[in-house]
Structure formats: C-alpha cells, structure tokens
Amino acid sequence: MSPFAGGPAQSGHARFPSLHEFVLLIALVMSLGSLSIDNLLPAFGPIQSDFGIPDPNDLQMLITAYMVPFAVMQTVYGPVSDAIGRRPTLMIGLAVYLLGGFIAATAPSFAMLLIGRAVQGAGLAATRVLTVAIIRDRFAGREMARVLSITMMVFIIVPMLAPASGSLLLLLGTWRMIFGTILGFAVLVAAWFFIRMPETLHPEYRRPFSVGQIVSAVKVTVSTRVSIGYATGVALMMGCLMAYIGSAQQIFETEVYGLGALFPLVFGCIAAFMGAASFTNATLVRRLGMRRLSHIGLCGFTLVAAVQLGVALLYGGRPPLLLFAAIFAFNQFLYSLTVPNFNSIAMAPLAAIAGTASSFIGSYTTLVGALFGFVIGRSFNGTVVPLSLGYLCLGAACLVAVLWTERGHLSLWSEPDEEGDEQAMPVAAE
C-alpha cells in the first residue's frame, strides 16, 4: 500500500488531503516561523525610532527573545502530542502564537514587544516539532526524505519573499501592520489545518505523558554517540544562521552596504541558493548517502568561511557587495547540504523514542544555535568581520564534533553501509 494511504483516527474529520495539498499545508505551517522572523527585519529601523533605542544591536533581541522560548517549548510539545495527538497539540500552539502576535502588535514599549515575541516563539515551537512528526506519521525512510525535500522547496519561498513583503507593508503603514498581517495569515493557516488535516498519530503509538519517560528518552539520546554528536553539529551550524539573520539588516540595509529598499532583493537571492541546495540534496542523497554529502558540505563550508574571513580582512571589513554576497550565498548553499542530513543521521538510531527524541534534539539545537547567534550578532561592529569569523569558528567546531562522532573518519569518498534510513522512522501498518 502507498505510504500516503488514509491515516488512522479520521472519524469526524475531512478525508485526508492529497499529496499536493498535504505538502502545501505543511509548508505553510512551517513558514509561520520563518515569516515571523524574516518579515520583521525591514522593521528594525522604524522600531528603533519609535521606542528610542540607542544601540541598534539591541534590536537583535527581537530574534533572541523569540528563539529561546521557541527552543525550550519544543521539549513540551513533542511528549504532549504523543499523549493527546498531533492535531490538538498544534492547535494549542497556534493559539498561543496568535496571543503573542496580538501582544506584539499592540505593544506600548520595547519591553512589551519582547514579551510578545517570546509568547510567539513559545507557541510556534509546536510547528517545529509537529510538522516533522506529522510527516513521519505518514511516511517512512526514503519516502519521508522525499516529502521533506519537496516541503522544504515550497517552504523556502517564504524567506525569499518575506523581507520584501515586510518592506511593502512599511510603505503602507507602520511596523505594527506587519504583525497584524502575519496574524491574519496565521488564522487562515490554522483554519485550513483544522478543517482539512485529520489526526495522524496512530492509536497504538499513543503514550501517556510521563516525566520519567521523557527523562529516560533524553538519557538515551545524550548517551547515543551518533545522535548527540550530529545534534551538536546542527546546533553549531544553526548558530551561523542565527548570527546571519540577526545581522543581515545592519549589514545589507543600513551600516555596511546601505542598500535600503534593495535589502529584500539580496536577502531573497541568498535564500534562493538555500532552496537550490534543498533540491540538490533531494537529488543526490540517494546516490551519495547522507554522511558523504553532509561531510563534503561541512568541509566546503569551513573552507569557504575561511575565504570569506580572508576577503573581509583584506578589504577592511567591507568587501565589495557582489564579491561578499557571492561567497556568502555559496556558503549558505553548503549549509543547506549539511544541516538536513545531520538531522536525519542524528534521528536514525532513535526510532523507538522518535517523538520525544525529536523534541529534545530540536530544543537543544535551537537553543544552542540561538545563543551562539546572539553572541556573534552582538559583536557586530559595522563590518562583516564578526559574522565571517563566527562562521569560521563554528564551522571548525562542527568539524571537530563530527570527527569525534565518527571516531576520526570523514566519509568524503565512500558512504558507510549502515545508513539506517528505512529502519529509522517506521510507520504503523495501515
């Protein structure tokens, strides 16, 4: 039977959506997180002006305040969804997100805006855990990897367009309109999900919420060398991405290159390279394997980061825009060849505790990545040197983590036999 057959526990709900509708709906749910960050980047200047913030680096708190609760709450939503189901848990998370959006849109002070952002992150953590869980409920092994790749190709359109849509909204009104528009979009997505997506958790896989089970699953995850090693690699690489997102507006729009209204164009072009990497990964991973492809990507990432830093220093921290953007976009391409495969490798040995393990790994990688990104972002000094140095240091640290995990061996020319892909994420018989 096709892995996309009708799922369990559908009584009282609509027929399970077609593959195209399923991919589009999951991608839109995932996109709420990216939209909530990227759409806000052009508004940093107006927010700074409205609240009289003296240090523009403080605006990066809008990202960190969102990301920390986003990381922590993932540990809650996974086990809760194993107990009460994916559908109600996701709806709870979206309701919390909408509350945070309302607080942010009406915030009378920067402190209250940060509180709204924190509530948004706490709610949207559900989407990070449950979109992957829902796909895992419906698909296994390589078919799951294919659906994830297709979903990511649809999802990548959002960071390409988000800053441009944010800039357009600023032309029509204030930065508060950005939050209002996202709220309206989130309501539509939540309604679509509620109407069209049945429960996907198989009844035999339901487990009562138990702190003891959570602690036990975390111990297994931490003590599994492959899982914790590659999860640490993901965390370090995410630190690079968070540093870029936090610094992008200052680098491209204002202090380094002064692109102004052209900032969304550059941001979108770089995101397009990440989308191209998702397509490349989906095409090559079956032939080269997850380890080989990700190890090549990581080595290339670290090498290109060294070139990026060298170019930055050569030009006094302000290299020509086209040169820097080309190097940086290529490194984001390599990033997107590495991180998704690292995630899959980390989860492969944890099939029996996949739900809780996914929550812990997601929380761990996001929290560590957000903290590294905050440190690098706060080091911004009007040049691209801190970002470039951060990329090189975190890339090198990730390489060390992978070498430790693989006991000194990198799969650059051959892939180990034990991928564990088909066995890693089983699906109940339908």
Side-chain angles (χ1 to χ4, degrees):
M1 179 178 289
S2 166
F4 202 76
Q10 297 189 38
S11 60
H13 300 304
R15 178 183 175 86
F16 205 83
S18 67
L19 175 59
H20 293 94
E21 183 182 359
F22 176 87
V23 167
L24 179 59
L25 180 52
I26 291 297
L28 289 177
V29 172
M30 292 172 63
S31 74
L32 289 173
S34 180
L35 195 63
S36 298
I37 296 175
D38 300 338
N39 213 25
L40 195 60
L41 297 180
F44 276 19
I47 291 173
Q48 180 183 8
S49 177
D50 276 6
F51 293 125
I53 301 168
D55 185 356
N57 283 356
D58 289 342
L59 294 168
Q60 296 182 25
M61 288 294 295
L62 291 169
I63 307 298
T64 306
Y66 172 92
M67 291 303 300
V68 172
F70 181 84
V72 173
M73 287 300 295
Q74 289 179 47
T75 61
V76 176
Y77 288 118
V80 168
S81 75
D82 285 342
I84 69 174
R86 317 299 190 204
R87 195 168 179 270
T89 306
L90 184 59
M91 297 310 298
I92 291 171
L94 291 176
V96 173
Y97 171 74
L98 292 174
L99 173 62
F102 177 78
I103 294 172
T106 59
S109 65
F110 187 63
M112 186 58 68
L113 178 58
L114 293 179
I115 291 173
R117 292 289 288 167
V119 176
Q120 280 189 306
L124 218 57
T127 65
R128 166 64 175 82
V129 174
L130 296 176
T131 50
V132 176
I134 289 168
I135 295 174
R136 188 185 65 242
D137 289 340
R138 302 303 308 169
F139 301 93
R142 294 179 180 179
E143 191 65 16
M144 177 184 174
R146 185 179 75 90
V147 173
L148 272 172
S149 296
I150 297 171
T151 303
M152 289 304 297
M153 282 187 280
V154 177
F155 162 75
I156 205 69
I157 295 173
V158 173
M160 290 173 61
L161 301 179
S165 64
S167 296
L168 177 61
L169 291 170
L170 287 175
L171 292 176
L172 301 175
T174 70
W175 58 266
R176 297 180 190 274
M177 183 178 286
I178 295 177
F179 283 104
T181 304
I182 297 174
L183 274 175
F185 178 71
V187 168
L188 292 176
V189 172
W192 186 4
F193 185 91
F194 181 79
I195 293 170
R196 295 291 296 143
M197 186 68 71
E199 179 57 59
T200 61
L201 177 63
H202 296 263
E204 61 268 31
Y205 287 179
R206 288 182 183 265
R207 297 187 300 174
F209 186 88
S210 167
V211 174
Q213 287 184 355
I214 295 173
V215 172
S216 176
V218 170
K219 287 181 178 179
V220 170
T221 304
V222 172
S223 62
T224 302
R225 189 184 188 99
V226 167
S227 298
I228 194 60
Y230 278 98
T232 299
V234 171
L236 293 166
M237 296 291 281
M238 281 193 67
C240 296
L241 183 63
M242 291 297 101
Y244 164 55
I245 291 174
S247 305
Q249 184 266 348
Q250 291 168 282
I251 289 175
F252 292 116
E253 184 178 9
T254 57
E255 299 186 39
V256 179
Y257 293 112
L259 294 178
L262 294 178
F263 161 59
L265 177 62
V266 175
F267 193 90
C269 288
I270 292 173
F273 273 81
M274 300 179 73
S278 296
F279 177 79
T280 302
N281 188 66
T283 304
L284 296 181
V285 71
R286 287 186 176 181
R287 182 154 56 93
L288 299 182
M290 292 184 291
R291 278 182 170 83
R292 186 180 179 190
L293 191 57
S294 61
H295 291 181
I296 292 172
L298 175 58
C299 291
F301 178 92
T302 307
L303 179 61
V304 173
V307 173
Q308 180 179 311
L309 178 60
V311 168
L313 293 173
L314 181 64
Y315 285 93
R318 295 175 178 238
L321 172 62
L322 290 179
L323 177 60
F324 177 75
I327 295 172
F328 190 78
F330 182 48
N331 226 12
Q332 292 304 105
F333 180 93
L334 294 169
Y335 171 96
S336 296
L337 287 184
T338 303
V339 172
N341 291 311
F342 276 11
N343 263 317
S344 298
I345 297 169
M347 284 299 300
L350 305 174
I353 53 170
T356 303
S358 176
S359 297
F360 170 74
I361 288 176
S363 177
Y364 168 62
T365 57
T366 306
L367 181 59
V368 173
L371 293 178
F372 273 119
F374 176 73
V375 170
I376 296 171
R378 291 287 296 180
S379 301
F380 178 76
N381 61 358
T383 74
V384 299
V385 171
L387 180 65
S388 301
L389 180 61
Y391 263 55
L392 177 58
C393 291
L394 291 182
C398 182
L399 187 57
V400 171
V402 171
L403 285 169
W404 172 83
T405 305
E406 299 290 354
R407 304 183 190 279
H409 174 73
L410 290 179
S411 303
L412 299 178
W413 294 275
S414 62
E415 176 79 7
D417 293 333
E418 61 277 10
E419 279 281 15
D421 54 354
E422 296 294 340
Q423 293 78 23
M425 299 175 183
V427 164
E430 306 214 29

